Amino acid sequence: MEFAFPVLLIGIALIAVITLAKAMRIVPQQRQDVVERLGRYKRTLNPGLNLLVPFIDSVRTKVDMREQVVSFPPQPVITSDNLVVSIDTVLYFKVVDSVRATYEISNFLQAIEQLTVTTLRNVIGSLDLERALTSREEINRHLSGVLDETTGRWGIKVTRVEIKAIEPPPSIRDSMEKQMRAERDRRAAILNAEGHKQSQILSAEGEKQAAVLRADGDRQARILQAEGQAKAIRTVFDAIHQANPSQKVLAYQYLQALPQIANGTANKVWIVPAELTKALEGMGGALGGLSQMVGDAPTKQASDDASAVEREAAEAAQAAAAAAQEIHEEVRVAEAQATGGKEQPGLPAPEPVSPASLLNDPADQRERG
């Protein structure tokens, strides 16, 4: 009896402690506990200190009210062009009603996973591979709408669905890589061609501008050269008028030019016309008229040197007449060789040119005629 009473007190204290522990429940922030009394839903415990009826009330589930992230394993999905692709999805959701999440469905996480897979297969099955790879936003919106509508009665809010990866078969990946490589090569070739085209255009424009500038420079040079020649001719002409040359001086200059004409490297045969005397007379008459027009009046110094000029002119005339006679003889010999010694009717032989006729005054010749 002595030991029974203390043991009883200890048992009563232990039962009191257990009862007190069962009656008090501390719920952390962002969590709700669903309480049942004798198997029926009684109430929901909010964060903080809550009291329960010991051995009558019990906590059925502890629901996390925070937004949760669930990554589902890859699921094989067939596209509209009969290609099997593997799709990884990530689901963002939160429990908005802990009571319905507890009593409306047994395992809402598994239900969401299966609903996501079936919806994803329906959506991807209506798209081809290329569109499925480029339409992730459209697929996400469709999945979010379907899941939010279905899970709303479970007390769950689907905030976002993301497609993490879409993996086509290895053969399709190789084909896609080859296609991308070919597309990049095509773009590179187009860029190179555009660059070459622009380079040729710029080169052509540069050559055009250079040609225009060269032509302009050539034109300016020719204009300046022509102006220079015109000034030179005008200067010579003015000098001749200021010098007032006589007729005999002009005839002497002409006779000095005859040997230079005959001694040209390209002159093989020089034909002296029969009317050489008349041509010289006409030239002399023209020069005489020019001297009369300009008022040819020799100065005293010119009169003193007239005898010397006449002698030189006579010698030049004799040399020109001899050269003409020799050329005439060579022409006759060439004609005889060409006709075989037979005489051919032709032009009459020119009269021999005398040096005196070259020096006679054309005015005197006209008076004699």
Side-chain angles (χ1 to χ4, degrees):
M1 294 298 293
E2 294 179 358
F3 294 100
F5 184 73
V7 172
L8 181 60
L9 291 177
I10 293 174
I12 294 173
L14 183 61
I15 293 173
V17 171
I18 294 174
T19 302
L20 183 61
K22 288 286 186 179
M24 298 178 60
R25 174 69 64 175
I26 298 176
V27 180
Q29 186 67 29
Q30 291 293 328
R31 197 184 82 178
Q32 289 182 353
D33 294 349
V34 178
V35 177
E36 292 181 349
R37 178 173 291 180
L38 301 177
R40 292 186 63 182
Y41 170 73
K42 178 61 179 176
R43 64 193 179 98
T44 302
L45 301 181
N46 293 319
L49 179 61
N50 297 274
L51 297 177
L52 300 176
V53 178
F55 305 106
I56 295 177
D57 295 340
S58 62
V59 177
R60 169 70 182 270
T61 56
K62 299 176 182 180
V63 182
D64 192 352
M65 304 302 293
R66 295 174 298 178
E67 186 173 0
Q68 303 180 37
V69 181
V70 179
S71 178
F72 299 130
Q75 300 294 328
V77 181
I78 300 176
T79 61
S80 61
D81 48 357
N82 297 325
L83 293 176
V84 179
V85 295
S86 179
I87 299 180
D88 295 347
T89 55
V90 179
L91 181 66
Y92 298 83
F93 71 96
K94 66 183 298 185
V95 178
V96 294
D97 191 343
S98 59
V99 177
R100 286 191 295 174
T102 303
Y103 294 103
E104 293 292 337
I105 189 169
S106 61
N107 190 346
F108 64 85
L109 189 59
Q110 184 179 2
I112 292 175
E113 180 181 358
Q114 295 301 321
L115 182 61
T116 302
V117 171
T118 55
T119 306
L120 190 61
R121 287 178 179 176
N122 291 332
V123 175
I124 298 298
S126 61
L127 304 175
D128 56 4
L129 178 60
E130 184 175 359
R131 188 177 176 187
L133 293 174
T134 57
S135 303
R136 293 193 177 187
E137 292 295 333
E138 181 180 355
I139 297 172
N140 293 338
R141 287 195 301 268
H142 191 77
L143 286 174
S144 298
V146 172
L147 292 175
D148 191 25
E149 181 181 358
T150 304
T151 59
R153 62 176 182 268
W154 299 340
I156 298 173
K157 174 66 176 178
V158 176
T159 58
R160 189 175 183 84
V161 179
E162 290 289 342
I163 296 178
K164 185 167 61 175
I166 299 177
E167 295 293 338
S171 59
I172 300 300
R173 288 200 300 269
D174 294 339
S175 300
M176 293 173 63
E177 290 178 359
K178 291 180 181 179
Q179 182 179 1
M180 292 176 62
R181 190 179 301 111
E183 180 68 19
R184 291 175 180 174
D185 293 341
R186 183 182 67 85
R187 292 179 182 177
I190 291 175
L191 292 177
N192 290 332
E194 288 291 338
H196 185 62
K197 174 184 175 182
Q198 293 295 330
S199 175
Q200 288 184 345
I201 290 174
L202 294 177
S203 299
E205 290 180 354
E207 292 177 357
K208 174 184 175 182
Q209 294 179 0
V212 170
L213 293 177
R214 284 196 296 269
D216 190 20
D218 191 11
R219 181 177 65 85
Q220 294 292 337
R222 291 188 179 184
I223 290 173
L224 294 177
Q225 185 178 4
E227 291 178 354
Q229 291 179 355
K231 291 181 179 179
I233 293 173
R234 189 179 299 109
T235 303
V236 172
F237 187 76
D238 293 341
I240 291 174
H241 277 277
Q242 291 177 3
N244 195 12
S246 64
Q247 176 185 359
K248 294 180 180 181
V249 173
L250 296 176
Y252 175 68
Q253 293 293 330
Y254 177 75
L255 292 176
Q256 284 184 341
L258 287 179
Q260 297 179 1
I261 297 174
N263 292 331
T265 57
N267 296 327
K268 300 302 180 183
V269 178
W270 186 47
I271 301 175
V272 179
E275 291 82 3
L276 177 61
T277 305
K278 295 181 179 181
L280 293 176
E281 291 177 359
M283 182 178 297
L287 295 175
L290 180 63
S291 65
Q292 293 177 3
M293 292 175 62
V294 299
D296 187 6
T299 60
K300 182 178 180 180
Q301 184 178 359
S303 299
D304 295 338
D305 296 338
S307 59
V309 172
E310 289 179 358
R311 286 195 300 270
E312 293 180 0
E315 293 176 358
Q318 290 179 0
Q325 189 66 27
E326 291 179 0
I327 293 172
H328 179 66
E329 292 297 333
E330 292 178 359
V331 171
R332 293 186 61 185
V333 172
E335 290 179 354
Q337 292 178 356
T339 57
K342 298 180 180 181
E343 296 183 357
Q344 297 291 334
L347 297 174
E351 297 178 359
V353 181
S354 62
S357 63
L358 297 176
L359 298 176
N360 287 332
D361 190 357
D364 296 339
Q365 295 292 337
R366 286 194 300 272
E367 291 176 0
R368 295 175 185 177

